[in-house]
Amino acid sequence: MTLRILAIDDSRTMREMLKSSLSAAGFEVHTADDGLHGLDRMAEVDPDVVITDINMPRLDGFGVIEAVRRGTVRPRRPILVLTTESAPELKSRAREAGATGWIVKPFDDQRLIGAIRRIASI
Amino acid sequence: MASVSDIKETFFQECDDLLEALNDGLIQIGGQGSPTEVDSETINAIFRAVHSIKGGAAAFRFNALVDFAHAYENTLDAMRAGRLGVTQDLSDLLQRAADHLADHVRAARTGEDLAPSSGTDLLARLSASLSNQGVSNNQDEAPPEFAPLALSFDLGLGLGDDTLSGRKKWRIGFAPAAGFLESGNDPVHILRELAGLGDLDARPNLNRLPALDDLDPEILLLDWQIDLEGALCEDDIRQAFDFVADLCKLEITSLQEVTFAAPAHLPASDAPPAAPLPSVTGPATAAPTPRASLRVDTDHVDRLINLVGELVINQSVLSRSVHEAGLAGQPTLAAGLSDLRNLSREIQEGVMSIRAQPVKPLFQRMARIVRDASDLAGKRVEFLTLGEGTDVDKTVIEQLVDPLTHMVRNAIDHGLETPEARLAAGKPEAGKVRLSAAHRSGRVVIEVSDDGGGINRPKVLHIAQSKGLIAPDATLSDADIDALLFLPGFSTASSVTSLSGRGVGLDVVKSAIRRLGGRLTVASTPGQGTTMSISLPLTLAVLDGMVIEVAGETMVVPIAAIAQTLQPAPDEIDHLGMGSGGMVVRLRDRFIPIVDLGCLLGFRNVAIAPDKMVLLIVETDTGAICALAVDAIHDQQQVVIKGLEANYGRVPFVAAATILGNGRIALILDPEDIIGFDAKAQATLSEKEDLPCLP
């Protein structure tokens, strides 16, 4: 079964990069361009892993994580935070919100793919 | 799949959008006037723009860009956190940093290097801006490098390069804490990962499991003792736990060294899992949804435009054939053809509008020109833009950059007075330069106006005389004097400045505008300022043309150039005794030279007889005028422009070609070129203008 991934990032570049490298790794990749859009897509795509940026318009990554964790549909699905921010307080906020893991951009394809395989539930 | 270069291109396109958003935000922060209350969403948007540029740039290793964006971002971050108040000075710094960031993006795109010293001043100012923030707050800003949490939670950190020494046996104590599952992590995945590293023997500790009735599946009550043997070091093992390092108790020991002590049992969590909320609603602030847009390769659009052009041509060929076959009377056929014509026209308009883009990015570029130019000229300038949303053909926008740059610089350099002169004239010290765009009767009008001293006409006249551009005793109207500015080789600055001048005059601007099918005009009031207007066709791809016949050839003359058409009465034509070219037509007490198109283009040697000729009065922007003698006027229609220059080079008197409704190719004439050629003859004639009109 193919692993479904939802990548939420307001940067088109980042979305295309994720799509390109993760599709190459055999994942089914869907994208959304901000947090609210991500939550919309969530219902539709039902991803096995969510990858989200933090700093986004309308709804940020923390909001996405909280919404998923408080939701009723697969609230424990793995969520990877992928962001350029490396400030510790932001990380602990992400952890408190319920992030599964944290990867700092620019990301290394193989590490990201390894991380996704490690946290994915199929 | 997208290749790296595709993604890189996406990045640069995105940078353009982000830089635009950045400039938008900075304008809101207060490009002009006093520092205003800045709302946090604006600062956030600015921050995000710079942040996204940095993120993408890091992925492509554009290190210089990343470094500058990072410094910029630090200052924005301090603003975002409220540690740095917005002052005029800071707003200015941010604007200049945005300009420099754009330079970096461009350098990354073209692969050139920015001069190493460019930007050091800005970097220094950015870093100085940070030292202005409150000291007490500084302490919560521990650099991330020193945060232990960062090390344990990061992927790819804390992975030392222990040398592998063959196979090793490890014992791992793994006790997940409460909340482990809630983070979306799962011990099964970690065990699976470990199994991939070597021979795994995992034994769960079931002691904490309650009776089945009391079991809460949301809480993890197991812990494990794991033996792992393989060619691996401790860090390989730690990597499997890197997301959960702070969510479990982990003990890793090498079995060769010590024996394993069972992990202390963790107390069962007394916190029930968070009750599921009925709905997923984030802190949705009602932000306006941006209009959905689609990014399309311009090649596709151009192809479409070309095809639609062919469609329109085909449609008229078809109606013609139907007409010629005598079928035009059939009501269904006629109705169908009429529908087809309307649809083709609508499709054509729709496709044309795809190419149209707002002039805003162009205007934003000009804002930067204003900043640079005003610095160099030592003048304070207030820059206003109007009609940024006006849509103009993309090609036109691209080709307007240079002319507009020149015009804006010109307005600052020559238009505006020095601050002292302004104050002396009772004007505010800061000069105003206004850039506006609007649609006016099927054309786009772009104006650059200043509130400077206006064109110094005596000086212009003097320069033109001293350069021999006009006769020493010529008397010229104000409009004639203003038109002198556009003569090749004219420069009003008595010394060449670094801004305008340098031999590039307004004549170059004028010919660039003319190449776009536009007109450049100037209006000026002494003491109050100067306005230069560019008037452009909406699109470059089609043209309203008049289809004419000359010596059996069908040709097209752009309607925009035609002031009037007439069939002259014999007594309106005078022969000035200079052969076939020496005819003039009298029109409203003015003599206009007649140019026989057939002779001019070499189709015939003798001009058409005056009683058979049809005259097209064509006029240039500068007011030069002539009458083109043709055999007949056929039609007035929109024609699709097909360039000739790529295949034939520049052809005298011919602007382009088109395909007509009958499928035949027709040349589109260039009236400006024809009038220019005729200018000498006209100069001779104008001396005779004082002659009384013959009855």
Side-chain angles (χ1 to χ4, degrees):
Chain A
M1 196 181 126
T2 315
L3 203 63
R4 273 193 312 278
I5 295 175
L6 175 63
I8 311 172
D9 201 307
D10 59 335
S11 158
R12 198 166 62 241
T13 311
M14 229 15 107
R15 288 198 302 275
E16 277 197 23
M17 279 183 130
L18 286 168
K19 191 155 189 153
S20 172
S21 47
L22 297 183
S23 307
F27 301 135
E28 178 184 324
V29 187
H30 302 263
T31 58
D33 53 20
D34 65 38
L36 280 188
H37 186 209
L39 294 183
D40 284 346
R41 298 280 284 147
M42 199 83 68
E44 202 180 304
V45 172
D46 187 26
D48 301 304
V49 174
V50 177
I51 300 175
T52 182
D53 187 19
I54 285 297
N55 214 315
M56 294 184 289
R58 300 210 295 163
L59 178 66
D60 63 15
F62 302 127
V64 171
I65 300 167
E66 278 160 17
V68 171
R69 294 286 179 249
R70 287 185 198 154
T72 52
V73 187
R74 291 178 75 180
R76 302 251 165 111
R77 71 176 98 222
I79 305 177
L80 276 184
V81 170
L82 181 62
T83 174
T84 41
E85 312 245 2
S86 55
E89 65 270 21
L90 289 173
K91 284 185 191 179
S92 50
R93 250 191 89 188
R95 172 60 92 201
E96 276 160 30
T100 308
W102 185 294
I103 293 177
V104 175
K105 294 181 206 168
F107 62 91
D108 174 279
D109 285 10
Q110 292 316 310
R111 284 197 185 286
L112 178 64
I113 291 162
I116 289 170
R117 294 225 165 93
R118 197 172 335 129
I119 60 172
S121 315
I122 57 163
Chain B
M1 183 154 330
S3 69
V4 173
S5 63
D6 285 346
I7 298 178
K8 217 178 242 186
E9 187 46 39
T10 303
F11 167 66
F12 288 122
Q13 286 174 0
E14 187 174 22
C15 279
D16 290 344
D17 295 348
L18 292 168
L19 288 170
E20 186 180 331
L22 172 63
N23 278 308
D24 271 356
L26 291 176
I27 286 166
Q28 283 190 36
I29 283 193
Q32 42 210 303
S34 59
T36 42
E37 276 293 305
V38 182
D39 77 295
S40 62
E41 191 35 51
T42 305
I43 295 185
N44 267 330
I46 292 174
F47 178 86
R48 266 201 306 274
V50 176
H51 187 74
S52 289
I53 291 176
K54 182 179 108 176
F60 296 111
R61 309 258 188 288
F62 294 134
N63 296 333
L65 174 54
V66 173
D67 291 346
F68 187 77
H70 185 72
Y72 194 177
E73 191 187 77
N74 281 342
T75 298
L76 292 172
D77 194 38
M79 281 175 70
R80 192 168 63 144
R83 296 192 304 271
L84 208 53
V86 181
T87 60
Q88 182 65 49
D89 217 35
L90 183 64
S91 157
D92 175 73
L93 170 63
L94 294 178
Q95 187 69 67
R96 275 156 210 277
D99 291 346
H100 191 66
L101 189 67
D103 287 345
H104 269 294
V105 170
R106 204 183 49 246
R109 191 175 209 154
T110 57
E112 74 199 45
D113 284 325
L114 286 183
S117 61
S118 72
T120 37
D121 169 54
L122 279 172
L123 280 173
R125 282 178 70 190
L126 284 171
S127 109
S129 75
L130 288 176
S131 61
N132 296 340
Q133 54 183 293
V135 177
S136 60
N137 285 334
N138 255 350
Q139 280 159 353
D140 347 315
E141 281 296 294
E145 295 82 50
F146 303 126
L149 186 62
L151 292 172
S152 58
F153 194 14
D154 257 339
L155 180 69
L157 284 180
L159 296 171
D161 266 330
D162 280 7
T163 44
L164 297 181
S165 50
R167 288 179 72 83
K168 250 180 156 179
K169 218 171 176 181
W170 298 90
R171 178 157 289 178
I172 304 158
F174 170 42
F180 187 93
L181 292 178
E182 281 163 47
S183 73
N185 282 293
D186 190 329
V188 174
H189 300 138
I190 294 170
L191 293 176
R192 211 184 273 156
E193 167 105 356
L194 291 175
L197 295 174
D199 301 329
L200 181 84
D201 176 21
R203 293 173 300 275
N205 171 9
L206 309 176
N207 292 347
R208 281 189 292 151
L209 281 186
L212 194 56
D213 284 350
D214 300 330
L215 184 74
D216 181 346
E218 302 276 303
I219 298 171
L220 189 58
L221 293 169
L222 298 175
D223 50 79
W224 284 266
Q225 180 182 319
I226 304 159
D227 285 349
L228 184 62
E229 191 180 339
L232 45 95
C233 64
E234 183 172 336
D235 280 338
D236 295 333
I237 299 170
R238 288 209 178 269
Q239 201 192 327
F241 293 92
D242 61 358
F243 291 154
V244 295
D246 54 343
L247 286 175
C248 68
K249 198 169 157 138
L250 188 64
E251 284 177 26
I252 302 175
T253 43
S254 167
L255 279 187
Q256 269 89 344
E257 293 162 20
V258 287
T259 47
F260 175 68
H265 289 161
L266 291 161
S269 165
D270 51 5
L277 292 181
S279 70
V280 180
T281 46
T285 48
T289 321
R291 231 174 3 167
S293 67
L294 189 65
R295 200 165 278 272
V296 185
D297 196 322
T298 46
D299 285 352
H300 293 318
V301 178
D302 288 347
R303 200 171 123 74
L304 201 55
I305 286 181
N306 222 332
L307 286 174
V308 170
E310 307 284 338
L311 174 72
V312 170
I313 290 163
N314 241 291
Q315 169 262 316
S316 36
V317 172
L318 186 63
S319 358
R320 206 183 176 88
S321 314
V322 167
H323 204 81
E324 280 168 5
L327 297 171
Q330 291 209 358
T332 46
L333 199 51
L337 273 180
S338 151
D339 285 352
L340 177 63
R341 188 177 58 237
N342 291 338
L343 278 175
S344 314
R345 180 53 58 95
E346 270 184 48
I347 292 175
Q348 191 176 33
E349 279 169 10
V351 170
M352 294 301 173
S353 72
I354 298 178
R355 281 195 64 95
Q357 289 189 336
V359 293
K360 186 173 172 184
L362 176 68
F363 279 18
Q364 283 190 347
R365 278 179 84 158
M366 292 308 129
R368 168 164 197 190
I369 303 292
V370 170
R371 284 191 291 279
D372 291 349
S374 55
D375 273 4
L376 273 170
K379 296 175 182 175
R380 274 187 54 208
V381 179
E382 193 180 320
F383 182 60
L384 305 168
T385 55
L386 280 175
E388 288 187 326
T390 308
D391 284 333
V392 180
D393 188 287
K394 183 174 156 51
T395 321
V396 176
I397 290 184
E398 282 160 6
Q399 298 190 26
L400 275 177
V401 174
D402 288 343
L404 260 193
T405 302
H406 198 90
M407 287 162 71
V408 166
R409 282 184 181 160
N410 207 72
I412 293 168
D413 216 25
H414 303 312
L416 295 180
E417 314 92 325
T418 59
E420 301 78 41
R422 287 187 67 88
L423 290 172
K427 291 182 181 181
E429 187 188 340
K432 273 198 185 103
V433 171
R434 204 186 64 164
L435 184 57
S436 71
H439 282 155
R440 240 174 258 161
S441 55
R443 291 178 78 85
V444 181
V445 178
I446 295 178
E447 290 185 343
V448 178
S449 56
D450 63 66
D451 70 341
I455 294 175
N456 185 342
R457 295 193 176 112
K459 191 172 159 197
V460 168
L461 200 57
H462 176 73
I463 291 172
Q465 282 166 347
S466 68
K467 293 195 171 183
L469 295 168
I470 50 168
D473 55 349
T475 34
L476 298 177
S477 68
D478 284 354
D480 288 341
I481 296 174
D482 294 348
L484 292 173
L485 293 173
F486 300 113
L487 285 180
F490 188 93
S491 173
T492 50
S494 21
S495 62
V496 173
T497 69
S498 59
L499 292 179
S500 17
R502 296 223 183 280
V504 181
L506 283 170
D507 59 313
V508 175
V509 174
K510 183 158 183 122
S511 51
I513 300 296
R514 194 193 292 170
R515 272 198 298 279
L516 293 171
R519 295 191 289 263
L520 178 63
T521 51
V522 62
S524 178
T525 313
Q528 286 177 30
T530 307
T531 299
M532 295 219 183
S533 310
I534 303 172
S535 157
L536 293 162
L538 277 181
T539 166
L540 296 181
V542 288
L543 171 115
D544 278 312
M546 192 167 281
V547 184
I548 54 157
E549 196 180 306
V550 182
E553 299 284 333
T554 307
M555 317 194 97
V556 176
V557 179
I559 282 183
I562 301 176
Q564 194 182 345
T565 59
L566 71 152
Q567 224 163 351
D571 64 345
E572 287 172 321
I573 294 180
D574 295 308
H575 294 261
L576 295 178
M578 285 181 285
S580 58
M583 285 189 288
V584 293
V585 59
R586 186 156 31 90
L587 191 66
R588 290 186 291 274
D589 292 338
R590 186 172 174 190
F591 289 108
I592 299 167
I594 295 174
V595 175
D596 184 279
L597 263 186
C599 294
L600 182 78
L601 299 172
F603 295 145
R604 59 185 168 211
N605 293 321
V606 180
I608 186 172
D611 58 334
K612 295 225 176 74
M613 67 171 53
V614 177
L615 295 178
L616 310 179
I617 312 294
V618 293
E619 205 171 356
T620 67
D621 304 338
T622 48
I625 192 165
C626 92
L628 302 179
V630 303
D631 300 8
I633 293 175
H634 281 316
D635 197 5
Q636 196 171 315
Q637 70 176 76
Q638 276 206 328
V639 296
V640 180
I641 300 172
K642 306 271 177 186
L644 285 178
E645 290 198 18
N647 294 321
Y648 295 103
R650 176 110 185 84
V651 183
F653 313 130
V654 174
T658 189
I659 304 171
L660 293 174
N662 57 11
R664 291 186 53 194
I665 293 172
L667 295 176
I668 301 172
L669 297 173
D670 182 348
E672 297 255 347
D673 206 20
I674 295 171
I675 294 174
F677 180 77
D678 192 51
K680 272 185 198 158
Q682 195 178 353
T684 334
L685 284 169
S686 62
E687 288 164 18
K688 303 191 188 326
E689 256 182 60
D690 299 333
L691 289 173
C693 284
L694 298 170

Short mmCIF file of all heavy atoms in Angstrom, two decimals, chain B residues 96 98-100 102-103 106 363-373 383:
data_model
loop_
_atom_site.label_atom_id
_atom_site.label_comp_id
_atom_site.label_asym_id
_atom_site.label_seq_id
_atom_site.Cartn_x
_atom_site.Cartn_y
_atom_site.Cartn_z
N ARG B 96 15.38 49.53 2.08
CA ARG B 96 16.64 49.36 1.36
C ARG B 96 17.11 47.91 1.43
O ARG B 96 17.69 47.38 0.48
CB ARG B 96 17.71 50.30 1.94
CG ARG B 96 17.60 51.67 1.30
CD ARG B 96 18.16 52.76 2.15
NE ARG B 96 17.44 54.00 1.87
CZ ARG B 96 17.71 54.80 0.86
NH1 ARG B 96 18.67 54.50 0.03
NH2 ARG B 96 17.01 55.89 0.65
N ALA B 98 15.17 45.42 1.53
CA ALA B 98 14.32 44.69 0.57
C ALA B 98 14.90 44.84 -0.83
O ALA B 98 14.95 43.89 -1.60
CB ALA B 98 12.89 45.22 0.62
N ASP B 99 15.34 46.04 -1.16
CA ASP B 99 15.96 46.27 -2.46
C ASP B 99 17.18 45.37 -2.62
O ASP B 99 17.40 44.75 -3.66
CB ASP B 99 16.41 47.74 -2.60
CG ASP B 99 15.22 48.68 -2.70
OD1 ASP B 99 14.09 48.18 -2.92
OD2 ASP B 99 15.40 49.90 -2.55
N HIS B 100 17.98 45.34 -1.56
CA HIS B 100 19.21 44.55 -1.65
C HIS B 100 18.90 43.05 -1.72
O HIS B 100 19.56 42.30 -2.43
CB HIS B 100 20.10 44.85 -0.44
CG HIS B 100 21.48 44.30 -0.59
ND1 HIS B 100 22.36 44.75 -1.54
CD2 HIS B 100 22.12 43.30 0.06
CE1 HIS B 100 23.48 44.05 -1.46
NE2 HIS B 100 23.37 43.16 -0.50
N ALA B 102 16.36 41.83 -3.15
CA ALA B 102 15.98 41.61 -4.55
C ALA B 102 17.23 41.47 -5.41
O ALA B 102 17.28 40.65 -6.33
CB ALA B 102 15.11 42.75 -5.04
N ASP B 103 18.26 42.27 -5.11
CA ASP B 103 19.53 42.14 -5.83
C ASP B 103 20.11 40.74 -5.66
O ASP B 103 20.61 40.13 -6.61
CB ASP B 103 20.55 43.16 -5.32
CG ASP B 103 20.21 44.57 -5.76
OD1 ASP B 103 19.38 44.71 -6.69
OD2 ASP B 103 20.77 45.52 -5.20
N ARG B 106 18.25 38.25 -7.65
CA ARG B 106 18.59 38.35 -9.07
C ARG B 106 19.96 37.73 -9.33
O ARG B 106 20.17 37.03 -10.31
CB ARG B 106 18.56 39.82 -9.52
CG ARG B 106 18.33 39.95 -11.01
CD ARG B 106 18.37 41.38 -11.49
NE ARG B 106 19.53 42.07 -11.00
CZ ARG B 106 19.49 43.09 -10.15
NH1 ARG B 106 18.34 43.53 -9.69
NH2 ARG B 106 20.60 43.67 -9.74
N PHE B 363 5.64 49.19 -11.22
CA PHE B 363 5.64 50.39 -10.40
C PHE B 363 6.52 50.20 -9.16
O PHE B 363 7.18 51.13 -8.71
CB PHE B 363 4.20 50.74 -9.98
CG PHE B 363 3.43 51.46 -11.07
CD1 PHE B 363 3.87 51.42 -12.39
CD2 PHE B 363 2.30 52.20 -10.76
CE1 PHE B 363 3.16 52.09 -13.39
CE2 PHE B 363 1.59 52.88 -11.75
CZ PHE B 363 2.04 52.82 -13.06
N GLN B 364 6.51 48.97 -8.64
CA GLN B 364 7.36 48.74 -7.46
C GLN B 364 8.83 48.87 -7.82
O GLN B 364 9.63 49.37 -7.04
CB GLN B 364 7.08 47.34 -6.90
CG GLN B 364 5.79 47.30 -6.11
CD GLN B 364 5.63 45.99 -5.36
OE1 GLN B 364 6.36 45.03 -5.60
NE2 GLN B 364 4.69 45.96 -4.45
N ARG B 365 9.16 48.43 -9.02
CA ARG B 365 10.55 48.59 -9.45
C ARG B 365 10.89 50.06 -9.52
O ARG B 365 12.00 50.48 -9.20
CB ARG B 365 10.76 47.98 -10.83
CG ARG B 365 10.97 46.49 -10.78
CD ARG B 365 11.15 45.94 -12.15
NE ARG B 365 12.53 46.07 -12.62
CZ ARG B 365 13.01 45.30 -13.58
NH1 ARG B 365 12.27 44.39 -14.14
NH2 ARG B 365 14.27 45.45 -13.99
N MET B 366 9.92 50.86 -9.96
CA MET B 366 10.17 52.29 -10.09
C MET B 366 10.36 52.93 -8.72
O MET B 366 11.12 53.88 -8.57
CB MET B 366 9.01 52.97 -10.83
CG MET B 366 8.92 52.56 -12.28
SD MET B 366 10.50 52.75 -13.14
CE MET B 366 10.68 51.14 -13.87
N ALA B 367 9.66 52.38 -7.71
CA ALA B 367 9.82 52.91 -6.36
C ALA B 367 11.28 52.82 -5.96
O ALA B 367 11.84 53.71 -5.32
CB ALA B 367 8.94 52.15 -5.38
N ARG B 368 11.89 51.74 -6.37
CA ARG B 368 13.30 51.58 -6.04
C ARG B 368 14.16 52.57 -6.81
O ARG B 368 15.11 53.13 -6.29
CB ARG B 368 13.72 50.16 -6.37
CG ARG B 368 15.20 50.07 -6.30
CD ARG B 368 15.71 48.71 -6.23
NE ARG B 368 17.08 48.81 -5.76
CZ ARG B 368 17.91 47.81 -5.76
NH1 ARG B 368 17.49 46.64 -6.13
NH2 ARG B 368 19.12 47.97 -5.34
N ILE B 369 13.82 52.75 -8.09
CA ILE B 369 14.57 53.71 -8.89
C ILE B 369 14.50 55.08 -8.22
O ILE B 369 15.49 55.81 -8.15
CB ILE B 369 13.95 53.81 -10.32
CG1 ILE B 369 13.95 52.44 -10.99
CG2 ILE B 369 14.69 54.84 -11.15
CD1 ILE B 369 15.29 51.88 -11.35
N VAL B 370 13.31 55.41 -7.71
CA VAL B 370 13.14 56.70 -7.05
C VAL B 370 14.07 56.81 -5.85
O VAL B 370 14.76 57.82 -5.67
CB VAL B 370 11.68 56.91 -6.62
CG1 VAL B 370 11.55 58.13 -5.72
CG2 VAL B 370 10.78 57.04 -7.84
N ARG B 371 14.11 55.76 -5.05
CA ARG B 371 14.98 55.81 -3.86
C ARG B 371 16.44 56.00 -4.24
O ARG B 371 17.14 56.84 -3.69
CB ARG B 371 14.83 54.53 -3.04
CG ARG B 371 13.55 54.47 -2.24
CD ARG B 371 13.58 53.33 -1.25
NE ARG B 371 13.54 52.01 -1.86
CZ ARG B 371 12.42 51.43 -2.28
NH1 ARG B 371 11.27 52.06 -2.18
NH2 ARG B 371 12.45 50.23 -2.82
N ASP B 372 16.88 55.20 -5.20
CA ASP B 372 18.29 55.30 -5.60
C ASP B 372 18.58 56.66 -6.21
O ASP B 372 19.60 57.29 -5.90
CB ASP B 372 18.63 54.20 -6.61
CG ASP B 372 18.61 52.82 -5.97
OD1 ASP B 372 18.53 52.78 -4.72
OD2 ASP B 372 18.67 51.81 -6.68
N ALA B 373 17.67 57.10 -7.08
CA ALA B 373 17.92 58.34 -7.81
C ALA B 373 17.87 59.54 -6.87
O ALA B 373 18.67 60.47 -6.99
CB ALA B 373 16.90 58.51 -8.94
N PHE B 383 7.08 59.64 -3.40
CA PHE B 383 6.70 58.91 -4.60
C PHE B 383 5.28 58.36 -4.45
O PHE B 383 4.98 57.69 -3.47
CB PHE B 383 7.70 57.77 -4.83
CG PHE B 383 7.44 56.98 -6.08
CD1 PHE B 383 7.45 57.59 -7.32
CD2 PHE B 383 7.20 55.62 -6.00
CE1 PHE B 383 7.24 56.85 -8.48
CE2 PHE B 383 6.98 54.88 -7.15
CZ PHE B 383 6.99 55.50 -8.39
#
